[in-house]
Amino acid sequence: MVLITLEGIDGSGKSTLNASLQHALLDLAPVFTREPGATWIGEQVRRAIADEVDPVTEALLFAADHAAHLDSVIRPALAAGKHVISDRYADSRYAYQWATLEGVLPDPLTWLRQVHDGWTVPPDHTLLLVLPVEVALSRKKLAGKREHFEEASLLARVQENYLRLAGEEPSRFVVVDAEMEEGELASFSERLIREWCGSSRSHRRR
Ligand code: TYD
């Protein structure tokens, strides 16, 4: 079983991609999940995002949600031999909270990694959607109300952080051009995920 994560800035098209994958990968029956999660802890996190709590509180809430997510979804699914696809995961913390904690803590990334150290489950593969920040924001504008993360300068730093993380672990990350046409992006991602899961449609048909 493999743990696959989808990452990217707001407006990168993760949700649309995720919806297509849920349909396309039905035969693999992976567990689709997300962070912030669906537990009551995830609800508190969403409330914190809306209320704009201080960045350390916010980072720890996201980390608490991750712990609950691991306990209630990720570990049981992997233990049951299922593939897991998570829309956002620890790299969201490393990319977003690295940016929001800049100037608050001396070395945010090291701190964030220490917070996760010893209990998180590292992903096997990560699909990182990358696109110009203005394009991402124009998509969000069309979609309506913005959260405080959805500002150009912050998203630019977040995307830079994502790319730094990908540069550190090139064997885990696949960086994808999120401006690719929607269907093309979905079929490219589907192929990649099938490869990662050691299964392909043609192989299964034989
Ligand atoms: P989400 O609901 O996934 O937003 P979207 O559907 O736009 O991707 O996440 C809400 C916001 O929370 C989003 O701006 C990313 C941010 N976020 C963090 O800052 N840190 C985290 O650890 C996670 C999981 C999300």
Side-chain angles (χ1 to χ4, degrees):
M1 73 262 23
V2 290
L3 171 58
I4 295 164
T5 60
L6 308 179
E7 296 283 357
I9 58 171
D10 299 68
S12 59
K14 266 183 319 82
S15 308
T16 312
L17 173 62
N18 201 37
S20 309
L21 291 175
Q22 293 200 21
H23 181 71
L25 296 171
L26 270 179
D27 59 307
L28 289 185
V31 171
F32 281 93
T33 184
R34 62 172 305 174
E35 290 189 13
T39 62
W40 66 265
I41 296 163
E43 288 307 309
Q44 298 313 303
V45 175
R46 289 189 183 281
R47 187 174 152 192
I49 298 172
D51 283 1
E52 302 200 22
V53 297
D54 91 276
V56 174
T57 308
E58 188 172 72
L60 292 171
L61 280 169
F62 278 123
D65 176 60
H66 183 58
H69 188 212
L70 283 169
D71 184 56
S72 60
V73 180
I74 306 279
R75 288 184 197 281
L78 293 174
K82 294 183 175 156
H83 300 303
V84 178
I85 300 176
S86 184
D87 180 353
R88 297 198 180 283
Y89 196 75
D91 293 307
S92 281
R93 236 99 56 233
Y94 302 153
Y96 280 80
Q97 275 60 57
W98 182 1
T100 59
L101 290 169
E102 206 73 72
V104 177
L105 297 177
D107 183 352
L109 181 60
T110 303
W111 183 80
L112 287 160
R113 284 183 163 151
Q114 281 166 354
V115 166
H116 288 73
D117 201 23
W119 56 271
T120 190
V121 177
D124 299 297
H125 301 281
T126 299
L127 206 63
L128 172 60
L129 303 186
V130 171
L131 78 176
V133 169
E134 317 81 69
V135 176
L137 280 176
S138 67
R139 290 181 181 178
K140 285 309 258 191
K141 211 178 284 168
L142 292 177
K145 191 175 167 286
R146 288 193 193 178
E147 286 160 350
H148 70 281
F149 292 113
E150 296 165 5
E151 283 164 18
S153 61
L154 179 69
L155 287 185
R157 278 186 290 143
V158 171
Q159 183 152 269
E160 212 173 281
N161 293 346
Y162 268 130
L163 290 169
R164 280 147 101 180
L165 297 169
E168 273 183 23
E169 283 185 81
S171 58
R172 171 162 70 92
F173 280 90
V174 171
V175 179
V176 186
D177 174 8
E179 282 193 290
M180 210 188 283
E181 189 271 319
E182 211 176 287
E184 206 183 320
L185 176 63
S187 53
F188 172 81
S189 307
E190 180 193 344
R191 276 201 304 278
L192 209 52
I193 291 174
R194 284 187 184 280
E195 224 170 85
W196 289 336
C197 294
S199 157
S200 71
R201 254 173 223 275
S202 53
H203 175 76
R204 287 174 63 84
R205 278 204 195 112
R206 257 181 249 138

